[in-house]
Amino acid sequence: MSALLEIRGLTTSFATDAGTFNAVDGVSLALEAGRTLGLVGESGCGKSVTALSIMGLVASPPGRVAGEILFEGADLLRLPPAAMRAVRGNRISMIFQEPMTSLNPAFTIGEQIVEGILRHRAIDRVSARRQAVDMLARVRMPSPAQRYDDYPHRLSGGMRQRAMIAMALALEPRLLIADEPTTALDVTIQAQILELMRTLRDETGTAIILITHDLGVVAELAQDVAVMYAGRIVEKGSVERVFAEPQHPYTIGLLGSIPQLHLERRRLPAIEGQVPNPLVLEPGCRFAPRCPFATSRCRAEEPVLREVSAGQEAACWHAPLDFDTARAA
Amino acid sequence: MTVLLQVRDLVKHFPVRRGFFRDGKSAVHAVDGVTFDLDAGETLALVGESGCGKSTTGRLVLRLIEPTAGSVRFEGRDLFALDAGALRAARRSMQIVFQDPYASLNPRMTVGQILEEPLMLHGIANGRRQERVAEILAVVGLAPQHAQRYPHEFSGGQRQRIGIARAIAVEPRLIVCDEPVSALDVSIQAQVVNLLQDLQQRLGLAYLFIAHDLAVVKHIATRVAVMYLGRIVEMADKGTLFSQPRHPYTQALLSAIPVPEPRLRRKRLLLQGDVPSPIDPPPGCRFRTRCAYARDRCATEDPPLVVEGGHAVACHFWREIEPPSASLPDSSSMPQNVRLSRLQAAFNPGATP
């Protein structure tokens, strides 16, 4: 099966007063139709900038996007603006983290859904309205015909996120980018939204890039996962493989540092230190300063992403990592 | 164990005005009859979702806001009966760490000044304040020269360490931790959680730990109180609460948490709908509008928090509701990943895995 989306060497840089830095630095990944890829990492790792680069939403200047983003055969980075507008919101759409700030407070949610439909489809307002109400029903919005005329402030956080999802899926996109779709929600509401996303994905076959810092959310929804650190993908593979046999020390540390309901531990294995400043990167592996397994090679040469087991890649000189080789290192 | 804090029937209503002429009077029932004890040296976690009243309870306990009704006794003294001077003196023993390490430190003060202020206020370490500041910084894992810097020069995790340093500077007995790690990235969260645990052991602190993240709570707490719409609906020691949750809300809350273990398949208890408005909480049991087990009695009669064998539940029918085996992932069914835990132990040299 050929990939729906293929990103090659994506590098997104921003010019600041202090200098230019790469928020995303040579990211390559592929996504097949109907699959869900979890893109995980901590603040500043470049996961959201990757999403904005795909959507063509990086402001330039100060931003600059280089590389290739092949979607349904076309390189999105080389599309003229009008052609990109025909893709955005139609073939690819996006759900943002904060439904209150990403919905327009001055329009009803119905009007906001209809706006997108009318922009991309040659249908009249009455049919567009019917389609919007149908969509609100599909995201299990209670009394959708009434909610159509509500302004965003009248809805709860969970309802607003349902409205956002209705808007994003109204045109049946092939690819949905969900940037922290449940982070602003309470846990019982998060469970509702994750359940809804799973159902809709299975019904529509939409591919999803799920951006999150929450490894639990990835395990719930995604089939594949890519772990980002300081602008690079450090490990990727199937969710089962990466969660059970992580090979990059950052993934190992990250999985260890989350308190887990089903594990009893006296002390959390925290990753000491903090992420490097992207303006002053040292040579070598970007994780080396925080890595207990780092050797002199790690501090001199930067490892590239390579296959370490079937369907699993890691950017670490010592991968595949087991305890004895790690100690010897 | 000595009881450090006794909270009895605590109520806080925030008045709101409604209507065109602003004459309709009603109130947000933020906290509506909360009772608990906290022993010296223990950690009681207050958990619940947005608007359940957990943070308001934390502020009432320190008398940062005045209650509508109820009492708080700290080391036997009624906090709400103290005059301003006595209250200030009492606060030496009770401190708070806030959620947002960016907003809770004064950007115009150096870290040294931030840490000296409580010392001056309480007349501690007179004549050797600089040394005391250096000591406190070392305790939270920062360096003495950090005292000269300003908060903006630090990362989020370091700022939270400064917030913790300010709280322990006056050698309190109780710290209210209001979502102390929710604003931090996971790898930094673990550092701060470990620090809080170390400090508790070294200094014999009691924590009132306010959080929405049940996994963090399971790691740090000794007892857990689950709040819903201004009330405690269930309270028990940690082991009991997580292995045998009896209130339908606690069961749903535990079941809703995503677990980073793709091989675990759980039966979900999905709650329908949203939390009702705290302005007009539903009569009877407040959870009944979302409860799968609700019956007629729940609509008319408010269930009291009944204690049985140290396990308190506010539900008429808890005896009939089975503790669901599926609400929590069962660790015994999972083979232990020896390789992974050994590799992870390398991140914590000196600590037992």
Side-chain angles (χ1 to χ4, degrees), chain A:
Chain A
M1 198 151 140
S2 79
L4 172 73
L5 176 79
E6 192 171 353
I7 299 175
R8 292 188 197 141
L10 178 70
T11 298
T12 304
S13 55
F14 291 97
T16 69
D17 291 342
T20 299
F21 70 92
N22 295 340
V24 176
D25 202 355
V27 160
S28 297
L29 47 87
L31 180 64
E32 285 172 12
R35 302 279 293 183
T36 299
L37 169 76
L39 199 54
V40 299
E42 300 178 278
S43 316
C45 72
K47 54 191 192 302
S48 289
V49 175
T50 302
L52 295 175
S53 305
I54 299 170
M55 291 296 283
L57 292 175
V58 173
S60 172
R64 215 181 76 80
V65 185
E68 286 175 60
I69 300 175
L70 301 170
F71 175 74
E72 296 185 318
D75 185 352
L76 298 183
L77 295 181
R78 274 151 200 86
L79 283 188
M84 188 62 209
R85 278 199 298 276
V87 172
R88 195 190 295 128
N90 181 19
R91 309 295 293 163
I92 307 179
S93 58
M94 186 158 174
I95 307 173
F96 297 91
Q97 171 172 355
E98 211 350 291
M100 193 59 218
T101 50
S102 39
L103 290 170
N104 189 331
F107 292 91
T108 67
I109 57 164
E111 286 168 330
Q112 296 184 56
I113 299 172
V114 162
E115 184 191 4
I117 298 174
L118 291 178
R119 170 74 183 71
H120 294 285
R121 296 284 184 274
I123 58 172
D124 59 83
R125 193 165 273 278
V126 178
S127 335
R129 183 188 170 110
R130 199 178 313 122
Q131 213 172 315
V133 173
D134 282 351
M135 204 57 228
L136 286 173
R138 282 186 75 187
V139 299
R140 321 301 189 254
M141 182 78 84
S143 35
Q146 283 85 58
R147 288 284 95 85
Y148 179 95
D149 292 312
D150 270 341
Y151 288 90
H153 76 269
R154 307 250 317 163
L155 305 179
S156 68
M159 290 298 156
R160 279 182 212 137
Q161 202 54 297
R162 282 173 198 271
M164 282 271 288
I165 294 172
M167 197 181 301
L169 294 182
L171 295 166
E172 300 182 345
R174 298 293 311 284
L175 173 63
L176 174 70
I177 300 175
D179 189 359
E180 304 268 9
T182 58
T183 306
L185 305 175
D186 274 318
V187 61
T188 61
I189 307 299
Q190 164 171 283
Q192 293 173 1
I193 297 293
L194 289 177
E195 181 65 37
L196 174 69
M197 288 182 67
R198 195 180 299 120
T199 313
L200 292 176
R201 175 192 64 192
D202 296 346
E203 283 172 18
T204 61
T206 301
I208 301 176
I209 295 181
L210 174 70
I211 296 172
T212 178
H213 68 281
D214 188 334
L215 291 160
V217 170
V218 171
E220 293 276 330
L221 203 61
Q223 294 124 0
D224 302 304
V225 62
V227 182
M228 288 189 75
Y229 186 78
R232 292 201 189 270
I233 292 179
V234 294
E235 180 156 12
K236 67 182 176 191
S238 75
V239 166
E240 278 80 14
R241 287 292 305 169
V242 172
F243 279 62
E245 299 290 327
Q247 298 298 346
H248 195 283
Y250 177 62
T251 317
I252 291 168
L254 199 61
L255 280 166
S257 60
I258 359 173
Q260 294 191 26
L261 282 174
H262 64 293
L263 293 180
E264 205 58 65
R265 286 180 301 194
R266 282 236 320 278
R267 199 178 166 82
L268 295 172
I271 305 174
E272 294 303 325
Q274 47 196 302
V275 290
N277 179 349
L279 284 165
V280 281
L281 285 175
E282 305 283 325
C285 173
R286 294 176 184 191
F287 188 61
R290 303 174 77 186
C291 180
F293 313 114
T295 56
S296 53
R297 184 180 189 191
C298 304
R299 285 179 276 269
E301 283 176 75
E302 187 164 7
V304 290
L305 206 57
R306 63 189 165 85
E307 188 159 77
V308 289
S309 74
Q312 185 177 11
E313 295 172 47
C316 173
W317 293 124
H318 302 300
L321 203 63
D322 71 57
F323 192 72
D324 298 314
T325 57
R327 197 167 37 184

Side-chain angles (χ1 to χ4, degrees), chain B residues 131-152:
Chain B
E131 291 95 305
R132 177 69 187 143
V133 166
E135 282 168 26
I136 303 162
L137 283 171
V139 169
V140 298
L142 295 170
Q145 63 269 25
H146 285 143
Q148 272 78 53
R149 301 217 207 137
Y150 287 89
H152 76 265

Side-chain angles (χ1 to χ4, degrees), chain A residues 42-43 156 158-159 186-192 194-195 198 213-217 219-220 239-240 243-247 249 252-274 287 290 292-293 321-324 326-327, chain B residues 49-50 155 158 161 185-191 193-194 197-198 212 214-216 218-219 238 242 249 252-254 256-266 268 270-274 290 328-331 334 337 339-340 342-348 351-352:
Chain A
E42 300 178 278
S43 316
S156 68
M159 290 298 156
D186 274 318
V187 61
T188 61
I189 307 299
Q190 164 171 283
Q192 293 173 1
L194 289 177
E195 181 65 37
R198 195 180 299 120
H213 68 281
D214 188 334
L215 291 160
V217 170
E220 293 276 330
V239 166
E240 278 80 14
F243 279 62
E245 299 290 327
Q247 298 298 346
I252 291 168
L254 199 61
L255 280 166
S257 60
I258 359 173
Q260 294 191 26
L261 282 174
H262 64 293
L263 293 180
E264 205 58 65
R265 286 180 301 194
R266 282 236 320 278
R267 199 178 166 82
L268 295 172
I271 305 174
E272 294 303 325
Q274 47 196 302
F287 188 61
R290 303 174 77 186
F293 313 114
L321 203 63
D322 71 57
F323 192 72
D324 298 314
R327 197 167 37 184
Chain B
E49 301 179 279
S50 323
S155 67
Q158 287 175 318
R161 287 176 193 268
D185 269 319
V186 277
S187 73
I188 308 298
Q189 254 187 26
Q191 296 174 6
V193 165
N194 286 341
Q197 287 188 307
D198 291 345
H212 69 278
L214 282 151
V216 170
K218 178 157 186 267
H219 188 76
K238 176 177 70 178
F242 281 91
Y249 177 62
L253 201 59
L254 285 173
I257 303 165
V259 173
E261 178 48 81
R263 290 171 301 175
L264 270 180
R265 285 286 159 251
R266 295 183 285 164
R268 283 199 172 282
L270 215 52
L271 282 186
Q272 300 302 314
D274 286 305
R290 300 172 81 195
L328 250 194
D330 181 11
S331 54
M334 294 290 301
N337 193 332
R339 166 187 171 266
L340 192 54
R342 289 178 77 189
L343 285 169
Q344 283 167 346
F347 281 88
N348 251 357
T352 44

